């Protein structure tokens, strides 16, 4: 209920409800803390007003109530982070929780100031070699075009196409500064850090066009660093994939 009130976008992923449950709990917890602190603040203003206390008290609070309350808040926050937050994140980024290699769609996502580049392995299912030394304005992904595996690779700028219900592994990195790939509707947000490639996985459960944003303040154009994520039925995705591969590699397609 609080999630909705605060404007959460619809959940379109299989695991999204787990994140939403935790968010809902966090929002309620924050609301209780906020109201609690407000009551404490106002009662302090009244209780310790000058007119009530003409002489200063040098001993202050003697009871342990405040310590107990503070410790409970710390404890609840630790349980939320260690008991729920980290395991939920772990399920998305650790290799042994990943879907079957043959079933999953694998995509590379590379952030740059200020756009998202996506790289698909193409019909052969093998990514072409990439090298930081080959990165240029016309080849933001640094794909080695002499590698035979790259001959059918599909690249796409600011458009991430996915198949509905197909497990998807996105390997995220950056070309320049730290960005963060945020797929709100998939309940996925992961930093894109230069020099590392972090894989995250999820399974879309609803077709549609969703917004992708950069969730890390990355420069003057950060506000405009947005892209589209299209979750499509298998036949629509396959058609786009085939058509784009043929457009980008007419020589390979003709063979
Ligand atoms: Cu960015």
């Amino acid at each position: 209920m609080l999630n909705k009130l605060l404007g959460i976008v619809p959940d379109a992923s299989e695991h999204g409800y787990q994140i939403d449950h935790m968010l809902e709990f966090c929002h309620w917890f924050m609301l209780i803390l906020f109201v609690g602190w407000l009551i404490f603040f106002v009662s302090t203003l009244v209780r310790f007003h000058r007119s009530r206390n003409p002489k200063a008290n040098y001993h202050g609070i003697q009871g342990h109530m405040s310590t107990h309350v503070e410790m409970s808040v710390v404890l609840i926050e630790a349980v939320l982070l260690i008991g729920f937050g980290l395991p939920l994140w772990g399920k998305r980024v650790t290799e042994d929780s990943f879907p079957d290699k043959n079933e999953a769609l694998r995509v590379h996502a590379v952030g740059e100031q200020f756009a998202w580049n996506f790289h698909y392995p193409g019909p052969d299912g093998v990514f072409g070699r990439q090298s930081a030394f080959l990165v240029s304005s016309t080849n933001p992904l640094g794909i080695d075009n002499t590698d035979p595996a790259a001959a059918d690779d599909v690249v796409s700028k600011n458009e991430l196409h996915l198949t509905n219900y197909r497990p998807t592994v996105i390997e995220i990195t950056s070309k320049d500064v730290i960005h963060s790939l945020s797929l709100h509707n998939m309940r996925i947000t992961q930093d894109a850090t230069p020099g590392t490639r972090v894989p995250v996985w999820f399974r879309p459960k609803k077709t549609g066009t969703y917004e992708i944003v950069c969730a890390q303040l990355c420069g003057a154009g950060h506000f405009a660093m947005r892209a589209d994520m299209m979750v499509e039925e298998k036949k629509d995705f396959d058609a786009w994939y085939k058509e784009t591969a043929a457009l980008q590699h007419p020589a390979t397609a003709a063979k």
Side-chain angles (χ1 to χ4, degrees):
M1 191 192 104
L2 272 184
N3 281 349
K4 280 237 170 72
L5 200 71
L6 292 166
I8 199 168
V9 295
D11 162 34
S13 75
E14 192 185 47
H15 75 279
Y17 73 97
Q18 299 166 344
I19 309 285
D20 288 2
H21 280 166
M22 194 172 112
L23 275 179
E24 183 76 25
F25 181 83
C26 284
H27 287 141
W28 279 108
F29 185 49
M30 290 304 126
L31 184 68
I32 292 166
L33 281 184
F34 177 68
V35 173
W37 281 117
L38 223 57
I39 293 169
F40 174 73
F41 178 62
V42 174
S43 72
T44 309
L45 289 181
V46 175
R47 194 170 155 202
F48 299 105
H49 191 264
R50 194 174 51 176
S51 61
R52 284 180 167 222
N53 305 273
K55 254 185 91 184
N57 172 352
Y58 289 100
H59 302 291
I61 300 279
Q62 301 291 312
H64 292 291
M65 181 63 182
S66 62
T67 316
H68 294 321
V69 173
E70 293 251 17
M71 284 319 289
S72 334
V73 171
V74 169
L75 201 74
I76 294 173
E77 282 174 358
V79 168
L80 273 175
L81 183 67
I82 300 163
F84 294 91
L86 288 177
L88 278 180
W89 176 69
K91 268 194 225 162
R92 309 267 62 89
V93 298
T94 44
E95 295 275 354
D96 49 349
S97 64
F98 275 18
D100 185 65
K101 270 211 162 67
N102 301 316
E103 194 199 347
L105 172 70
R106 283 188 99 89
V107 191
H108 292 163
V110 181
E112 69 171 311
Q113 288 174 318
F114 298 95
W116 288 108
N117 297 286
F118 301 105
H119 177 200
Y120 296 79
D124 70 349
V126 183
F127 284 103
R129 201 177 73 83
Q130 281 174 280
S131 164
F133 295 106
L134 296 170
V135 171
S136 67
S137 59
T138 52
N139 187 3
L141 291 152
I143 298 170
D144 178 359
N145 287 310
T146 61
D147 180 8
D152 64 346
D153 285 17
V154 169
V155 295
S156 154
K157 200 170 199 120
N158 289 333
E159 257 188 41
L160 174 64
H161 288 256
L162 303 175
T163 308
N164 200 18
Y165 290 115
R166 184 171 179 194
T168 303
V169 181
I170 305 187
E171 293 178 35
I172 302 163
T173 186
S174 166
K175 196 180 111 180
D176 38 44
V177 300
I178 300 175
H179 300 278
S180 182
L181 185 75
S182 190
L183 317 173
H184 301 314
N185 299 80
M186 296 299 152
R187 303 298 188 255
I188 290 283
T189 298
Q190 173 62 51
D191 271 7
T193 312
T196 63
R197 189 174 261 165
V198 182
V200 294
W201 89 272
F202 57 92
R203 188 199 290 264
K205 66 169 189 190
K206 216 186 285 167
T207 55
T209 300
Y210 306 99
E211 189 180 39
I212 300 174
V213 295
C214 176
Q216 196 68 263
L217 197 54
C218 57
H222 166 68
F223 72 95
M225 193 169 163
R226 58 171 305 286
D228 287 317
M229 172 173 59
M230 286 84 158
V231 177
E232 299 158 322
E233 294 300 348
K234 190 177 178 307
K235 64 169 183 4
D236 297 329
F237 173 85
D238 289 349
W240 169 81
Y241 204 36
K242 224 179 122 188
E243 193 186 303
T244 313
L247 270 174
Q248 292 177 356
H249 305 280
T252 315
K255 270 183 211 161

